[in-house]
Amino acid sequence: MFKTILWATDGSATADRALPYAKSLAEGEGKKLIAVHCKELLIGGRASGYPVLADEEELQEKILHQVEEAKAAGFDATLEVITAAAAGAAHVIAEAAREAGGDVIVVGTRGHAPVAGLLVGSVTQRLLHVSPCPVLAVPAGKHAEIAERELEKVTAAR
């Protein structure tokens, strides 16, 4: 059913929890796993063009390492780093899915808020509205444990 799986990641622990789900969907011949990371930039004023997150470089290195580990495990995995204005991540992730012919976007439900005061999980919330394909939103907190057990059951049944 799903051949091109996008894992949208901001480098957070909740995005990391979504990776096993993306890998599970990307197992098998002829499937692709595309890690999509949006480097959000502040626009306007003296901060114009600077990354929203001070540790952006470290996040990209971490995500690249995760993609390399997936490749070593036999996945057809690639990394796409895209750039957008702060609060525009969902739209550029949706566009990346459209361009790649994505069949599903796998994303965590909580992550880095690009600017203090924004709703946590706003990128996932927006993706649910603008994505050209289904979005698998992996929950955080106590619900994550339940979801992980269900994933283990599905994986064991294969």
Side-chain angles (χ1 to χ4, degrees):
M1 175 179 253
F2 300 125
K3 292 190 189 293
T4 303
I5 295 85
L6 279 80
W7 168 52
T9 178
D10 60 1
S12 68
T14 53
D16 292 349
R17 276 197 294 275
L19 180 54
Y21 293 85
K23 285 180 175 179
S24 176
L25 293 172
E27 288 178 344
E29 199 66 33
K31 295 188 176 192
K32 291 190 294 186
L33 174 63
I34 304 171
V36 179
H37 174 68
C38 180
K39 177 180 175 181
E40 293 182 283
L41 302 178
L42 295 170
I43 304 298
R46 290 195 278 185
S48 184
Y50 286 98
V52 169
L53 301 173
D55 59 347
E56 180 63 41
E57 193 171 309
E58 291 87 15
L59 290 173
Q60 286 186 39
E61 288 176 22
K62 173 189 170 184
I63 296 164
L64 179 59
H65 181 71
Q66 290 170 311
V67 170
E68 293 301 323
E69 285 180 338
K71 283 182 183 179
F75 291 93
D76 179 4
T78 57
L79 171 61
E80 183 175 342
V81 178
I82 48 183
T83 304
H91 290 279
V92 294
I93 292 167
E95 184 58 31
R98 193 174 288 109
E99 289 176 6
D103 297 307
V104 63
I105 300 172
V106 181
V107 64
T109 57
R110 301 200 191 286
H112 295 300
V115 179
L118 288 180
L119 294 174
V120 175
S122 60
V123 172
T124 300
Q125 179 67 26
R126 191 72 193 130
L127 264 174
L128 293 170
H129 296 282
V130 300
S131 175
C133 58
V135 176
L136 173 58
V138 178
K142 66 179 182 179
H143 300 293
E145 293 175 20
I146 296 167
E148 286 172 15
R149 283 195 299 269
E150 291 302 314
L151 176 63
E152 287 173 8
K153 288 180 190 174
V154 169
T155 303
R158 288 184 183 171

